[in-house]
């Protein structure tokens, strides 16, 4: 068998291997070919001269694998032809990467300044270590393409809910979760207060971001404390949310304790709060159970800020809401009866904090006497007048 036939058979085998790798790794064939070309270039730099410029090409049509040195055609006075030339970073430039126009035209009269001449290199002549270096470089670049594909894939999932199985919990109480072909990390700060997991548990969480860790490789940063996670869980339970008949306009959470969501709808026949709560609270109760018993309050959204703030403070009833203009943040003064103050503030201040988070306004409460106490005071005054002013009555009995 001739040498050319051997090379053709070898190239057929290489193409089959590249196609197989692309299929097994879930990569595009172009990515696999680029990985091989980059590996060839890196190997040539290692085995020949790292200051020279190389390129590679895979010609499927003619079944050829080409590795060559690139030489740029320049003018006779080009500074890069000098032996002591340096680039803008102060690094030495190898003048062997360039050829004068006059010399180039002796080889090919059609060449012009800026064109490149290619000198073929035989990979087989690079030494016995070349194959090992090529394999190492190829594996490294394949892994890089795999990671880039996974990063791209999971970046599209940011803000979406995923489920995975707990595989490990470290000393810092970070929970590692297997999510398909990658690992997710649920940090302690992103876990609902009071909940614990063990290896084998299936955990739902929302994707916050995608990171590449030096030790663990590609890691998906996930969270169970994000308000968006609450919204996603509700959408899974409430068909009206999934169908966009009911809209979550805003949400606020103090994870594991309490949350508030503002709901709206353009469908007059739909009750947004009733739809989300469900019959006997079944729908919202199911979501609360998944959030370690977190209480979820539903309020109806309004485009009128004063009305929205008033509703956000429910179950408290307010007298008035006055919005103060501020250059950097919203501020509002809420006048409230004294007997509603504890409801407005809530246990440990949860209600007013959530209302502020939900509406994006700083809320200041001003307490006034309640209607009930005022009425009782008036009655007391009347009774006092009736029992102390008896002079007119005494005259009747004289």
């Amino acid at each position: 068998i001739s040498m050319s036939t051997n090379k053709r058979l070898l190239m057929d085998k290489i193409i089959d291997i590249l196609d197989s790798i692309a299929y097994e790794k879930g990569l595009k064939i172009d990515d696999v070919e680029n990985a091989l070309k980059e590996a060839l270039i890196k190997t040539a730099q290692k085995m020949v001269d790292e200051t020279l410029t190389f390129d590679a090409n895979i010609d499927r049509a003619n079944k050829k694998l080409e590795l060559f040195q690139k030489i740029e055609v320049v003018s006779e006075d080009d500074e890069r032809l000098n032996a002591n030339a340096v680039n803008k970073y102060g690094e030495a430039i190898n003048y062997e990467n360039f050829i004068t126009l006059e010399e180039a035209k002796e080889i090919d009269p059609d060449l012009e300044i800026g064109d490149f001449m290619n000198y073929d290199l035989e990979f087989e002549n690079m030494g016995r270590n070349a194959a090992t270096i090529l394999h190492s470089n190829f594996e490294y670049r394949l892994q890089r393409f795999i990671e880039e594909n996974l990063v791209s894939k999971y970046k599209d999932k940011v803000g979406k809910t995923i489920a995975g199985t707990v595989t490990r919990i470290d000393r810092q109480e970070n929970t590692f979760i297997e999510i398909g072909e990658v690992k997710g990390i649920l940090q302690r700060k992103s876990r609902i207060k009071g909940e614990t997991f063990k290896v084998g548990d299936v955990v739902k969480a929302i994707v916050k971001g995608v990171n590449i860790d030096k030790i663990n490789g590609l890691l998906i940063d996930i969270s169970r404390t994000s308000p968006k996670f609450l919204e996603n869980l509700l959408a899974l339970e409430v068909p009206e949310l999934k169908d966009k008949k009911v809209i979550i306009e805003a949400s606020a959470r103090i994870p594991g304790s309490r949350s508030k969501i503002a709901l709206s709808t353009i469908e007059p026949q739909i009750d947004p709060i009733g739809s989300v709560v469900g019959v006997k609270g079944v729908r919202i109760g199911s979501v609360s159970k998944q959030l370690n018993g977190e209480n979820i309050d539903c309020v109806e959204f309004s485009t009128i800020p004063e009305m929205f703030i008033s509703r956000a403070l429910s179950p408290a009833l307010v007298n008035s809401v006055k919005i103060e203009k501020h250059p950097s943040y919203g501020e509002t003064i809420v006048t409230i009866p004294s007997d509603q103050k504890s409801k407005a503030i809530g246990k440990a201040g949860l209600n007013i904090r959530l209302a502020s988070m939900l509406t994006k306004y700083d809320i200041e409460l001003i307490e006034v006497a309640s209607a009930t106490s005022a009425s009782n005071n008036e009655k007391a005054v009347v009774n006092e007048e009736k029992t102390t002013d008896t002079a007119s009555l005494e005259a009747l009995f004289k």
Side-chain angles (χ1 to χ4, degrees), residues 37 40-45 47-57 65-73 81 93-99 107 111 115-123 126:
K37 287 191 284 188
L40 281 167
I41 292 168
K42 194 70 177 178
T43 302
Q45 290 173 335
M47 301 303 296
V48 181
D49 187 340
E50 63 181 11
T51 65
L52 294 177
T53 303
F54 299 98
D55 204 352
N57 181 53
L65 178 61
E66 301 170 327
L67 175 64
F68 46 85
Q69 180 188 350
K70 293 180 66 176
I71 299 179
E72 185 178 354
V73 179
L81 292 170
I93 295 176
N94 192 336
Y95 65 88
E96 291 184 10
N97 286 318
F98 308 97
I99 186 173
I107 300 170
L111 289 172
D115 291 340
F116 284 90
M117 295 176 59
N118 297 330
Y119 284 95
D120 291 337
L121 299 175
E122 292 291 340
F123 182 79
M126 290 187 185

Side-chain angles (χ1 to χ4, degrees), residues 185-203:
I185 180 170
L186 179 65
Q187 299 182 57
R188 182 180 179 182
K189 65 180 181 180
S190 298
R191 192 183 64 198
I192 297 172
K193 185 178 179 180
E195 68 181 1
T196 57
F197 303 108
K198 63 181 183 298
V199 174
D201 285 349
V202 176
V203 176

Side-chain angles (χ1 to χ4, degrees), residues 26 52 103 134 137 146 175 187 194 257 291 307 316 321 377 389:
L52 294 177
E103 292 174 322
L134 175 63
N137 284 325
I146 291 170
T175 304
Q187 299 182 57
S257 298
L291 299 176
M307 186 173 291
V321 177
N377 289 337
D389 185 14

